Each structure stands twice: as C-alpha cells, then as structure tokens.
Amino acid sequence: MKKERVGRVVSNRMAKTIVVEVERRQRHPLYQKFVNKRSKFHAHDETNSAAIGDLVKIEESRPLSRKKHWKLVEILKKAET
C-alpha cells in the first residue's frame, strides 16, 4: 500500500517538480494543546500542470532523484488567482 498525502503547492519553479507542504494537527504530549506540524515533499509533476496554491494529492513512489520520492496523483482544487 502506497502512502498518500494531501497538501498545498508552495513551489513549481523546477522542471517537472513541485514542492508540496502537508500540514497535520498533533496533540502536545504534556499540554494537550493541538500543534500544527508541517512537512515539505518534492513530487514529480510530469505535465507541469500544478500551480502555486493548488490543493493536490501526492503518492509515494520509487526514488526519482535525491529528494524526489513522491508523484502527483491529481489536483483536487485549483488556486484562486
């Protein structure tokens, strides 16, 4: 089973590559307050179709380069410009 994540595109300046920021809410172990944690993933975008601000779904794949281990599955919502 491949992992899937949903996040926002924060960069599309590289050729056929996007940077997706995934945010998750986690409860603090001592204070029990919710804390937002963010992770950035480099994903392969074959058609260069994703723009900054788009909500996208990415899926784990074989290593495509040193940092790129994810690929774009679909664009869930286009950014409002």
Side-chain angles (χ1 to χ4, degrees), residues 5 8 15 24 29-30 39 43 46 50 59 61 63 66 70 74:
R5 301 279 187 261
R8 293 226 174 261
R24 58 190 172 88
L30 177 62
S39 303
E46 184 64 40
E59 178 183 71
S61 70
R66 184 168 69 94
W70 297 79
E74 64 176 314

Side-chain angles (χ1 to χ4, degrees), residues 25 45 47 71 77 79:
R25 290 171 55 86
D45 180 11
T47 58
K71 64 180 178 181
K77 186 176 179 187

